[in-house]
């Protein structure tokens, strides 16, 4: 086994998107090769409706896939294909924009007024940029959860892990998307395919990740603080941990345990031409998409 070194640990930056949703961005719109095939990751959470209720009104996407994972509250959605629905706590939606889709996402709080969710953008390889759009809505009750003897719990959202396979399939990046809880003081190893780019996103508790870059094989531990989430407080640090090459990560949970997402995918390694919600391979393709938005031909009929 080879432990993946910790290349970087950084706190997600506050920003505003949509019609005025306050969120924290772990990565995106800087270097698309950094975590290829993933382009962007946002953590949107708030204690008050004013933080999120303006939502993400109708907007276009082309050339990417998005996954939305809701932890608290709900997200109502609709799209140009006629799909409508609501994601509740624990639910997941994977949207393949392909050749083009218009949709909206409107967050709502729970009984206490709190909302918490994540959105990840994954790139599409050039042969699939103009594929037909589609949605996969998955209820939280359909997401397998496996528990180890030491109390570690893993929800398998996408991919296979510990003998269970997540319900979302057919994703171009062939990702693995896990929601992991490790109890206080427990040291745990998680296998990750050597050829995938991988990152962790700590959002509750604290942990130390072993670093294989220490001299003579000594494991250094870099403490990563996350946000301690409870019903009264959804604020705090949000930390991205970016890993180098290897086939496993090692984590030791802090005094209150740790909960984090572990996400990996096969890099596409293609040129990226990116403007807002549209991601293509060339500037010419990007200009064509923008022209189609202006002249009303962006949404193409099914064929």
């Amino acid at each position: 086994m080879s432990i993946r070194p910790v290349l970087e640990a950084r706190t997600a930056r506050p920003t505003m998107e949509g019609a005025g949703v306050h969120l924290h961005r772990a990565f995106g719109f800087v270097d698309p090769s950094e975590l290829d095939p993933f382009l962007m990751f946002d953590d949107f959470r708030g204690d008050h409706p004013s933080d999120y209720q303006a939502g993400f009104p109708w907007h276009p996407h082309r050339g990417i896939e998005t996954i939305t994972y809701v932890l608290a509250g709900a997200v109502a959605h609709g799209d140009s294909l006629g799909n409508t629905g609501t994601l509740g706590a624990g639910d997941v939606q994977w949207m393949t924009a392909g050749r083009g889709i218009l949709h909206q996402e409107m967050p709502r709080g729970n009984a206490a007024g709190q909302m918490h969710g994540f959105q990840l953008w994954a790139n599409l390889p050039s042969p699939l940029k103009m594929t037909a759009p589609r949605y996969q809505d998955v209820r939280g009750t359909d997401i397998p959860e496996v528990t180890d003897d030491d109390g570690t719990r893993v929800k398998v959202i996408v991919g296979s892990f510990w003998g269970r396979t997540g319900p979302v399939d057919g994703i171009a990046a062939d990702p693995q998307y896990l929601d992991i809880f490790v109890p206080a003081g427990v040291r745990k190893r998680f296998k990750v395919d050597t050829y995938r780019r991988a990152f962790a996103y700590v959002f509750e508790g604290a942990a130390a990740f072993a670093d294989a870059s220490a001299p003579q094989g000594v494991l250094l531990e870099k403490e990563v603080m996350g946000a301690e989430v409870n019903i009264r407080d959804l604020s705090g640090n949000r930390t991205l941990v970016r890993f180098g090459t290897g086939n496993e990560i090692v984590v030791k949970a802090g005094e209150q345990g740790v909960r984090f997402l572990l996400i990996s995918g096969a890099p596409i390694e293609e040129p990226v031409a990116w403007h807002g919600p549209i991601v293509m391979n060339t500037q010419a393709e990007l200009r064509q998409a923008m022209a189609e938005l202006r002249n009303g031909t962006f949404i193409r009929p099914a064929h």
Side-chain angles (χ1 to χ4, degrees), residues 98-164:
R99 61 179 175 248
I101 197 168
L102 297 173
H103 76 154
Q104 65 172 352
E105 301 154 300
M106 306 303 289
R108 300 199 299 257
N110 59 18
Q114 298 165 331
M115 168 68 207
H116 189 191
F118 306 111
Q119 187 167 93
L120 173 70
W121 288 14
N123 200 5
L124 280 170
S126 54
L128 298 178
K129 287 287 189 188
M130 300 299 285
T131 193
R134 68 168 181 153
Y135 271 104
Q136 296 183 70
D137 282 346
V138 177
R139 295 303 170 199
T141 52
D142 294 327
I143 296 173
E145 179 172 308
V146 54
T147 302
D148 208 359
D149 293 340
D150 58 15
T152 298
R153 299 193 304 270
V154 180
K155 292 184 178 181
V156 186
I157 297 170
V158 185
S160 297
F161 191 78
W162 285 355
R164 304 297 298 274

Side-chain angles (χ1 to χ4, degrees), residues 86-106:
T86 300
L87 300 175
D91 296 347
V92 172
Q93 179 194 87
W94 198 293
M95 185 272 289
T96 303
R99 61 179 175 248
I101 197 168
L102 297 173
H103 76 154
Q104 65 172 352
E105 301 154 300
M106 306 303 289

Side-chain angles (χ1 to χ4, degrees), residues 4 14 26 41 95 100 108 196 204 232:
R4 286 178 174 252
F41 182 86
M95 185 272 289
R108 300 199 299 257
R196 295 169 178 263
E204 182 177 347
R232 296 177 300 277

Side-chain angles (χ1 to χ4, degrees), residues 209-245:
F209 287 84
D211 190 346
S213 62
Q216 299 177 354
V218 177
L219 297 182
L220 298 179
E221 291 184 339
K222 297 184 178 181
E223 188 176 51
V224 179
M225 299 300 296
E228 183 177 350
V229 179
N230 55 53
I231 198 169
R232 296 177 300 277
D233 181 13
L234 287 172
S235 65
N237 290 333
R238 297 117 166 125
T239 304
L240 172 78
V241 184
R242 191 163 58 89
F243 299 106
T245 302

Side-chain angles (χ1 to χ4, degrees), residues 10 12-13 15 23-29 35 38-45 67-69 71 116-122 177-178 199-203 238-240 260-263 274:
R10 66 177 185 243
R13 296 182 177 181
T15 188
L23 53 83
H24 283 72
R25 178 158 294 153
F27 63 88
F29 293 99
L35 283 165
F38 306 113
L39 297 164
M40 190 182 77
F41 182 86
D42 286 344
D43 178 345
F44 52 98
R45 64 175 89 173
I67 185 170
T68 304
Y69 179 28
L71 293 184
H116 189 191
F118 306 111
Q119 187 167 93
L120 173 70
W121 288 14
Y177 191 124
L178 308 174
F199 69 92
Y201 184 76
V202 179
F203 62 93
R238 297 117 166 125
T239 304
L240 172 78
F260 62 98
L261 304 178
L262 179 58
I263 299 174
W274 187 355

